[in-house]
Amino acid sequence: MAQQGDSWSSCKRPAEVVRLRRKRARNVVESPGASGSSSASGSSSATPSFHSQSTSRGKRRNPFLTWDNTVSRPKKVLLKDGDGEDVGTFIKLMSAEKTSGDRRSGPPVDSSAENPLAIAPVSIAPVSCAEYPADWSLKTRVIFTSPESLSWTGQPKAQEEALGLSNSCRAKFTMLPHNLQEPRSWSDVRSAFQQCLVYWQHPSLPWLSLFPRINAEKNFSGKNMPWTQDEAVHESLVKEWSISLSSLYSLLKVGLCPYFYVCSYQFTVLFKAAGIAGSDCITALISPTTRGLREAMKTEGVEFSLPLLKERRRISEQHKSIQQGEEEMENENKDFLQVDEDYQNWDEEDDGCSQGEDDSLSWLKEIGIQDKLKKPECINIQLQKEAQTLSLDHKPESAVCVEGSHSFNLINFLINWKSVVAAAGSQTGLPPTLLAPTAFRGATMNVLKGRSVNVKNLVDCTYQNISSLELTGPILPSSLHAITALLQTAQKGNFSAALYTHTPTAVMNIETCRKRCTKAVGDLTHCGLPPASINHLQQPSTLGKTTLTHLAMNNYSYTWNIG
């Protein structure tokens, strides 16, 4: 009993423990080694007196508040330079400038440390380039703004519109001067703008909006669809779609069409000709995909790869190798004899477990069906593999790449696969939408919808006139580049653009080709695009899984944001 009483007396109550912690904190604060400026010591000593102040006021003490919580809070310290001047405002300006800066992309810039006391320049000039990277994602809407007037992009005259459409069909491009004083008075500029808005589509049904197709059931519900009631109409529609797809691939193969899109109700396919995006062969990228689609492609002999999945596995393997290296360094410092004994114990345990598993499955051997049934371990491994493949469905990592001659097998697969056309829902019986920058068999010429307005924006407490141009529709990469090149000339090198991406096509910028071409492959001079756009699209993609969200030109130099 005496020993038990001594053990109880050695224990301390919570209040005594808190009292000891306060006493230790006061000793640390009042020690001469920690003495500094008067302002810093005052702020640090004010923290442990929180409990005494709270008890003197009569308020209830927080039972979950400890010394660790109070000390870990950031302290506000007044900093002064050698002359005694307050530098707090300088730090605030640096932090405000760092947080308010736009997220600009381009060549990588070395950023300074996050510590505000680090030596860093007050302002860093944004990186500017003469050209922005190619973006292969489809845009649903683009809004251009410029301090110069955009009224010349309004409704054109009949002659100007006819000239623009005719030049688009004939692949004729007008050379404009570098700097235009009054674009509205130039008929060639207005016709060139109409030429930039042209794209080709199949099928084209005036009462239906056939882009986008993914998650667009509301656009088709309640609309008249005669092919759902007449099987002959449906067969004719699918047959014409197959002919148009074959025509597009033939043009792509000989270099008369640089690229085209196949927009289905569940995935989007981007076909690129040889020489486009740094590839030396025809490439096709499908996103998003499902396990059923991938299994069907394997069955039909279409070989493909998963670029993003390979990259993720490579990164995980690098992390594993680093961790294994660290573990090996730690194990070298241990006693080898002890390690050997542990290994022997583990082997004995494993033998016992395997023997127990054999005993548990011995009754199957008596019946004679042991070989016909799979062990639980094999079943679990198979379920884990299936779960991993299913977790990729409808995600960016499920993007599939097809290269070379297998792209022809992919065309045949899309023509013959019944699931490429929806069998139920609001898009029942409607084949995928084909989009291309050049004409092909069965295609319909369409133009992007534009609307220009003049608004007043509040800048530095004053209102400034800003012109705005909004374009809607399937904006192709070549159309975006042609429009920006025209605005560069007409707006004197000063404009900005907000880009809205079709989400399923955001992964189209990943690097898909295994080897890049060092010289020009194929002849793309007759593909129907201006030479500047061809050179732009031939550059390898550098955006990865990101897309352009904002584009700005100032003094003929580009800056951009990615997301």
Side-chain angles (χ1 to χ4, degrees):
M1 295 294 292
Q3 294 178 356
Q4 186 176 2
D6 295 338
S7 62
W8 282 104
S9 61
S10 62
C11 298
K12 296 182 178 60
R13 296 181 179 180
E16 297 178 358
V17 176
V18 174
R19 192 180 301 109
L20 290 175
R21 289 185 177 180
R22 292 178 187 171
K23 188 174 181 180
R24 292 174 185 173
R26 293 192 188 98
N27 294 336
V28 171
V29 174
E30 295 175 0
S31 61
S35 61
S37 61
S38 60
S39 59
S41 62
S43 62
S44 61
S45 62
T47 305
S49 63
F50 175 75
H51 300 283
S52 60
Q53 292 177 4
S54 61
T55 53
S56 62
R57 294 174 184 173
K59 295 182 180 180
R60 182 180 178 182
R61 183 177 60 83
N62 186 1
F64 302 100
L65 186 64
T66 60
W67 169 253
D68 298 334
N69 293 339
T70 57
V71 174
S72 62
R73 294 176 181 176
K75 305 180 183 62
K76 297 181 179 179
V77 183
L78 181 62
L79 301 179
K80 296 184 178 181
D81 58 358
D83 299 334
E85 296 180 357
D86 186 8
V87 298
T89 57
F90 176 72
I91 297 175
K92 291 180 180 179
L93 290 174
M94 291 178 61
S95 60
E97 183 178 358
K98 183 177 181 180
T99 56
S100 62
D102 293 336
R103 184 185 176 187
R104 292 179 173 85
S105 176
V109 182
D110 186 13
S111 59
S112 60
E114 295 183 359
N115 186 6
L117 300 179
I119 300 175
V122 178
S123 62
I124 300 176
V127 178
S128 301
C129 299
E131 192 63 77
Y132 62 90
D135 189 355
W136 289 100
S137 61
L138 288 171
K139 307 298 180 183
T140 58
R141 186 172 62 147
V142 177
I143 299 178
F144 294 95
T145 56
S146 175
E148 303 291 335
S149 177
L150 286 168
S151 60
W152 58 272
T153 61
Q155 182 65 29
K157 299 179 181 179
Q159 183 179 0
E160 296 170 349
E161 183 179 7
L163 181 60
L165 300 180
S166 177
N167 290 339
S168 178
C169 296
R170 300 177 182 179
K172 290 184 178 181
F173 308 100
T174 305
M175 297 299 296
L176 299 175
H178 182 68
N179 191 359
L180 295 175
Q181 299 299 328
E182 295 182 0
R184 187 175 181 84
S185 61
W186 284 71
S187 178
D188 293 340
V189 177
R190 298 169 66 86
S191 62
F193 180 70
Q194 295 298 316
Q195 183 177 356
C196 296
L197 302 181
V198 174
Y199 68 95
W200 298 84
Q201 173 183 325
H202 178 87
S204 180
L205 305 174
W207 67 95
L208 290 178
S209 177
L210 298 181
F211 179 83
R213 296 291 298 272
I214 300 178
N215 299 328
E217 283 73 15
K218 294 187 296 183
N219 298 336
F220 298 91
S221 59
K223 300 296 180 66
N224 184 22
M225 297 185 179
W227 52 86
T228 58
Q229 302 174 359
D230 192 347
E231 185 64 23
V233 176
H234 175 258
E235 292 179 358
S236 177
L237 192 63
V238 174
K239 183 179 179 181
E240 289 297 325
W241 178 83
S242 302
I243 294 175
S244 298
L245 181 59
S246 301
S247 172
L248 262 177
Y249 184 77
S250 300
L251 294 173
L252 185 82
K253 192 174 181 179
V254 297
L256 296 179
C257 179
Y259 65 90
F260 67 89
Y261 291 84
V262 181
C263 303
S264 174
Y265 72 100
Q266 57 180 345
F267 59 84
T268 303
V269 190
L270 169 61
F271 285 88
K272 291 183 288 187
I276 295 295
S279 177
D280 59 349
C281 61
I282 297 177
T283 58
L285 192 65
I286 311 174
S287 176
T289 62
T290 59
R291 182 189 175 190
L293 175 60
R294 295 190 293 270
E295 292 294 336
M297 292 173 62
K298 288 181 181 179
T299 304
E300 296 297 328
V302 181
E303 295 186 6
F304 59 87
S305 60
L306 298 168
L308 294 180
L309 185 60
K310 288 183 179 180
E311 182 181 359
R312 189 173 67 175
R313 288 177 178 175
R314 180 180 58 82
I315 295 174
S316 62
E317 288 177 358
Q318 290 179 356
H319 287 301
K320 287 181 180 179
S321 61
I322 294 173
Q323 293 177 358
Q324 289 178 359
E326 294 177 354
E327 291 177 358
E328 290 177 358
M329 293 295 293
E330 294 177 357
N331 292 334
E332 288 180 358
N333 299 328
K334 294 182 180 179
D335 188 7
F336 292 100
L337 297 177
Q338 184 66 29
V339 173
D340 292 338
E341 292 178 0
D342 294 339
Y343 277 126
Q344 292 177 0
N345 295 333
W346 292 339
D347 292 339
E348 292 176 359
E349 292 178 359
D350 293 339
D351 294 340
C353 294
S354 61
Q355 185 178 1
E357 292 177 357
D358 294 338
D359 295 339
S360 61
L361 298 176
S362 60
W363 62 276
L364 295 175
K365 190 181 297 183
E366 298 176 358
I367 302 176
I369 60 173
Q370 182 182 9
D371 298 335
K372 298 180 181 180
L373 296 178
K374 295 181 179 180
K375 290 185 179 181
E377 292 183 357
C378 299
I379 297 175
N380 292 334
I381 293 173
Q382 185 177 0
L383 290 176
Q384 290 177 1
K385 291 182 179 179
E386 292 179 356
Q388 292 178 357
T389 56
L390 289 175
S391 63
L392 296 176
D393 293 354
H394 304 289
K395 292 184 178 180
E397 288 76 9
S398 66
V400 165
C401 177
V402 181
E403 296 179 344
S405 60
H406 298 286
S407 59
F408 180 73
N409 298 336
L410 179 60
I411 291 292
N412 292 333
F413 171 76
L414 294 175
I415 292 175
N416 299 322
W417 192 40
K418 295 182 179 180
S419 297
V420 76
V421 179
S426 58
Q427 303 186 39
T428 303
L430 187 61
T433 304
L434 304 178
L435 298 173
T438 57
F440 58 95
R441 182 174 176 179
T444 303
M445 175 189 287
N446 288 336
V447 294
L448 300 175
K449 297 179 180 178
R451 183 172 63 95
S452 61
V453 294
N454 294 327
V455 297
K456 288 187 177 181
N457 190 18
L458 183 62
V459 178
D460 296 335
C461 300
T462 59
Y463 286 95
Q464 295 182 358
N465 294 326
I466 295 179
S467 296
S468 174
L469 170 65
E470 180 182 4
L471 299 177
T472 57
I475 303 174
L476 305 179
S478 56
S479 300
L480 179 62
H481 184 268
I483 294 171
T484 54
L486 182 61
L487 292 178
Q488 177 180 355
T489 302
Q491 302 305 118
K492 301 178 182 179
N494 291 296
F495 68 90
S496 62
L499 311 175
Y500 297 85
T501 305
H502 184 41
T503 305
T505 63
V507 298
M508 297 297 182
N509 293 314
I510 61 176
E511 185 178 354
T512 57
C513 55
R514 289 172 293 184
K515 51 183 179 180
R516 296 180 179 178
C517 54
T518 57
K519 59 182 180 179
V521 177
D523 187 10
L524 297 174
T525 56
H526 302 288
C527 67
L529 298 182
S533 298
I534 296 175
N535 296 332
H536 177 71
L537 298 178
Q538 284 180 337
Q539 301 300 322
S541 180
T542 58
L543 296 177
K545 293 189 294 184
T546 62
T547 60
L548 295 177
T549 59
H550 186 268
L551 192 64
M553 169 168 274
N554 188 12
N555 294 329
Y556 299 95
S557 296
Y558 280 107
T559 56
W560 59 87
N561 298 351
I562 59 176

